[in-house]
């Protein structure tokens, strides 16, 4: 089911999916998908025709804990525009989103993401504060969030988050007990929100990364190679020492972000397979200001550590595709009858296939309320701010339909970033 032809059919069917609409005050609130509402329903015809030229639409999702609500906003924005992935790849919270996306039909994905985030932004023990309840949370201005953030982070550390993780009375002995928190609630949440038969049907390819504890290497679990269950997504997000290692077969796994927080190379590495449009959704920005305080130092370290040099990866891939273009030019100078008889020429032809790639960067930008604890600020108001930021980034990006035109054979790999574009004079 993963042939290029099948992927073309899947992409074409997915792009006809009905959109999901958000309200003005709560961008995470869904309406009946049959109503046909949505801010980006009328996607420009040239945008739709550009995207139709791609054989693969990939969504690549970094890890970042509570910042992941930004990715959910991106998914909602793309769904409203009728853009749905044929391949999702993720690390940590990004892998959990992959499960929800691939394990639900397109018109239910934003709704299921909303259910997940509404659940995990509730503390499991004590009731939420007044300002984290309706209708007050919808009325809270973003300027008030710096005052709320420390309380949100403290409650996450001491109480955990409903449907996600809870504190252990004492860390136990053994890899499945040696952690501060127990993630059994996450398994129950995934089993409720994800149709694993649909996820493994081949309608959407899924790749999630985790680190093998014995080898220390990053490994990818992929639906083209075997069936994925809740444990694979939990393993991808098992960040120590907070979360325990997850056993899969005879091996134990931790969070893939320990090695690489960006699964972009999983999608773009290897021999060219298909004309591919990639939405790379990053939660950490490598670029930033020098820290001024000790708290700023911790925050900046996380940004650098988990950003995983996405642009450096795209630079390397850009050069690789330029080299393939040169190889194709050289092959054209060899007589066809010689190429047919020469096994090496056949290998080079496979390596140098004319397949083109566009990478669209969507990067979360820090807010005034973000600090070194931003990846575990699971407050409802903070989540909505992140989600709305993702929606706005998609809207700004789709306002450049020319970015989505299939690249030329002479320049087969291009990248675009609305954050970088808006800084130009």
């Amino acid at each position: 089911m993963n042939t290029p032809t099948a992927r073309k059919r899947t992409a074409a069917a997915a792009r006809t999916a009905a959109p999901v609409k958000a309200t003005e005050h709560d961008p995470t609130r869904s309406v009946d998908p049959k109503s046909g509402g949505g801010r980006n329903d009328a996607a420009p015809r040239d945008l739709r025709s550009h995207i139709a030229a791609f054989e693969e639409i990939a969504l690549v999702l970094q890890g970042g804990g509570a910042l992941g609500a930004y990715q959910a906003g991106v998914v909602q924005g793309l769904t409203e525009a009728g853009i749905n992935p044929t391949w999702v790849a993720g690390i940590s919270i990004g892998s959990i989103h992959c499960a929800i996306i691939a394990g639900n039909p397109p018109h239910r994905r934003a709704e299921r993401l909303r259910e997940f985030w509404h659940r995990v932004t509730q503390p499991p023990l004590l009731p939420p504060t007044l300002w984290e309840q309706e209708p007050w949370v919808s009325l809270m201005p973003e300027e008030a969030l710096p005052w709320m953030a420390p309380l949100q982070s403290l409650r996450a550390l001491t109480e955990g988050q409903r449907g996600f993780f809870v504190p252990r009375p004492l860390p136990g002995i053994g890899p499945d007990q040696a952690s501060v928190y127990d993630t059994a609630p996450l398994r129950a949440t995934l089993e409720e929100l994800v149709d694993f038969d649909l996820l493994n049907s081949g309608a959407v390819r899924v790749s999630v990364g985790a680190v093998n504890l014995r080898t220390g290497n990053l490994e990818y679990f992929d639906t083209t190679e075997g069936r994925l269950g809740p444990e694979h997504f939990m393993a991808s997000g098992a960040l120590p020492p907070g979360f325990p290692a997850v056993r899969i077969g005879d091996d134990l796994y931790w969070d893939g972000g320990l090695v690489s927080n960006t699964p972009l190379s999983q999608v773009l590495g290897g021999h060219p397979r298909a004309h591919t449009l990639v939405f790379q959704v990053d939660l950490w920005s490598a670029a930033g200001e020098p820290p001024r305080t000790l708290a700023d130092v911790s925050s900046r370290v996380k940004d650098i550590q988990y950003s995983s040099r996405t642009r450096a990866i795209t630079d390397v891939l850009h050069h690789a595709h330029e080299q393939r273009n040169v190889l194709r030019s050289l092959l054209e100078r060899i007589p066809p009858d010689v190429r047919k008889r020469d096994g090496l020429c056949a290998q080079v032809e496979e390596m140098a296939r004319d397949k083109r790639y566009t990478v669209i960067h969507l990067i979360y930008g820090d807010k005034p309320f973000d600090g070194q604890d931003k990846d575990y600020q699971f407050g409802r108001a903070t989540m909505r701010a992140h989600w709305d930021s993702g929606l706005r980034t998609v809207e700004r990006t789709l306002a450049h339909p020319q970015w989505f035109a299939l690249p030329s054979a002479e320049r087969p790999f291009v990248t675009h970033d609305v954050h970088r574009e808006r800084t130009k004079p």
Side-chain angles (χ1 to χ4, degrees), residues 272-350:
R273 293 176 294 265
H275 296 318
T276 304
L277 171 63
V278 179
F279 292 93
Q280 166 71 34
V281 190
D282 290 354
L283 302 177
W284 308 87
S285 177
E289 297 296 324
R292 299 181 60 186
T293 68
L294 191 59
D296 292 341
V297 170
S298 178
S299 179
R300 190 73 192 103
V301 166
K302 284 185 178 181
D303 285 338
I304 294 171
Q305 179 179 0
Y306 292 123
S307 65
S308 296
R309 302 296 188 278
T310 298
R311 288 198 177 104
I313 293 173
T314 57
D315 287 344
V316 170
L317 293 171
H318 175 74
H319 292 309
H321 284 278
E322 286 183 334
Q323 292 168 359
R324 291 186 177 112
N325 192 27
V326 172
L327 286 176
R328 285 197 301 274
S329 298
L330 290 174
L331 283 172
E332 291 174 357
R333 300 184 180 186
I334 301 175
D337 59 327
V338 175
R339 294 205 303 267
K340 289 180 181 179
R341 297 193 306 268
D342 192 296
L344 181 60
C345 285
Q347 293 181 39
V348 174
E349 284 181 349
E350 177 68 18

Side-chain angles (χ1 to χ4, degrees), residues 46-56 274-277 354-358 401-414 416:
D46 53 348
L47 174 61
R48 294 198 302 269
S49 63
H50 287 333
I51 292 176
F54 289 93
E55 300 164 322
E56 191 95 76
H275 296 318
T276 304
L277 171 63
D354 179 18
K355 295 301 179 182
R356 307 164 199 178
Y357 295 79
T358 294
Q402 71 279 7
W403 289 355
F404 297 87
L406 188 70
S408 65
E410 293 72 27
R411 189 167 178 252
F413 188 95
V414 298
H416 298 289

Side-chain angles (χ1 to χ4, degrees), residues 104-169:
N104 286 281
H107 68 274
R108 295 207 65 192
R109 290 168 183 166
E111 173 191 346
R112 285 302 200 182
L113 286 168
R114 173 182 60 85
E115 291 180 24
F116 172 79
W117 281 100
H118 276 219
R119 179 176 305 184
V120 303
T121 51
Q122 299 179 68
L125 299 177
L126 300 176
T129 63
L130 175 65
W131 289 105
E132 291 284 53
Q133 302 179 49
E134 297 293 353
W136 308 112
V137 68
S138 298
L139 302 174
M140 181 180 296
E142 193 167 297
E143 291 75 15
L145 292 181
W147 301 95
M148 295 292 299
L151 176 61
Q152 295 166 357
S153 304
L154 179 61
R155 295 197 68 175
L157 291 174
T158 57
E159 298 179 51
Q161 298 297 146
R162 185 174 301 178
F164 200 165
F165 60 94
V166 292
R168 296 185 186 276

Side-chain angles (χ1 to χ4, degrees), residues 3-23:
T3 64
T5 301
R7 286 197 297 265
K8 289 179 185 177
R9 293 196 192 105
T10 302
R15 285 193 287 270
T16 64
V20 179
K21 187 177 182 181
T23 66

